[in-house]
Each structure stands twice: as structure tokens, then as C-alpha cells.
Amino acid sequence: MANLELFRVSEYANRVRDINVLVNGEVIGVISNGETKIFDIPEGDNQVQVKIDWCTSKPISFNIGENETKRLTMSSFAKHNPLGTLAAIYYITFASNKYLQLEEQ
């Protein structure tokens, strides 16, 4: 087995809601605001995405070997956008696949 270490940035947006963590299209768990979690994932080619309601991140694809750990940081549009409510309406309506963000560490 390999590991996925996911850190969720503590943010005001979505702070009381858990985010689903998907690997290869399957939900493997949830992550709360400000939390770091380690998930077991299969070796080989994987695709990771996070999702809340119909809003998601862009998927990140990678290959991982036995006993390796992939580290990612998750945040939302709010970290990168000072427009507040206007930005939320845009992301929920027109850019739902960019509402959440995953970044490699």
C-alpha cells in the first residue's frame, strides 16, 4: 500500500462542512477544516480529487510506489479571491470544477 497525506487549509468558507476525498473516482473518506489526514491508496496510477456537493477540484494524477507518500494541500477559491460573495456565485455557477484546489507539496 501507499499513502496520501492531505492537509486542508483552515478557511472561513466551508469551515463547518466536511470535504469528500476521492481516489480513482471512489470516496475514500472526508476531511474537516484545518485537518491533516493520511489515507491508504493503491500503488500505481492514481487520480485524486476533492468534492463538496457538486463542486470539485481539478483532478491530480500521479504514479506512486509501495510505501511511498503523496502529499497534497487542499484549499478553496476563498484563499485566492478577495471578491467574497461575487466570487462564490461565479465558482458555484460557472467554475464548479475549480471551487476547490489541490496543490502538490
Side-chain angles (χ1 to χ4, degrees):
M1 271 297 186
N3 292 310
L4 169 66
E5 183 178 312
L6 182 60
F7 168 65
R8 179 178 168 188
V9 174
S10 181
E11 299 177 305
Y12 184 79
N14 307 310
R15 73 183 176 284
V16 297
R17 305 207 42 217
D18 289 340
I19 306 289
N20 290 316
V21 180
L22 293 85
V23 173
N24 303 325
E26 300 290 326
V27 176
I28 62 166
V30 297
I31 190 163
S32 300
N33 193 42
E35 187 174 38
T36 298
K37 271 195 171 175
I38 297 176
F39 301 95
D40 290 333
I41 60 172
E43 301 166 34
D45 293 328
N46 287 285
Q47 186 178 69
V48 175
Q49 194 171 29
V50 288
K51 182 176 182 180
I52 184 170
D53 300 326
W54 64 91
C55 298
T56 65
S57 66
K58 289 184 177 181
I60 290 186
S61 298
F62 57 90
N63 185 287
I64 192 167
E66 183 178 0
N67 299 320
E68 290 183 349
T69 299
K70 182 69 170 181
R71 291 177 176 83
L72 301 175
T73 299
M74 191 224 96
S75 61
S76 73
F77 74 91
K79 176 182 176 191
H80 306 286
N81 200 311
L83 296 178
T85 304
L86 291 176
I89 292 168
Y90 168 77
Y91 280 98
I92 290 169
T93 307
F94 301 108
S96 62
N97 67 332
K98 297 177 187 173
Y99 184 86
L100 301 172
Q101 285 127 21
L102 284 173
E103 296 175 4
E104 297 186 53
Q105 292 183 0

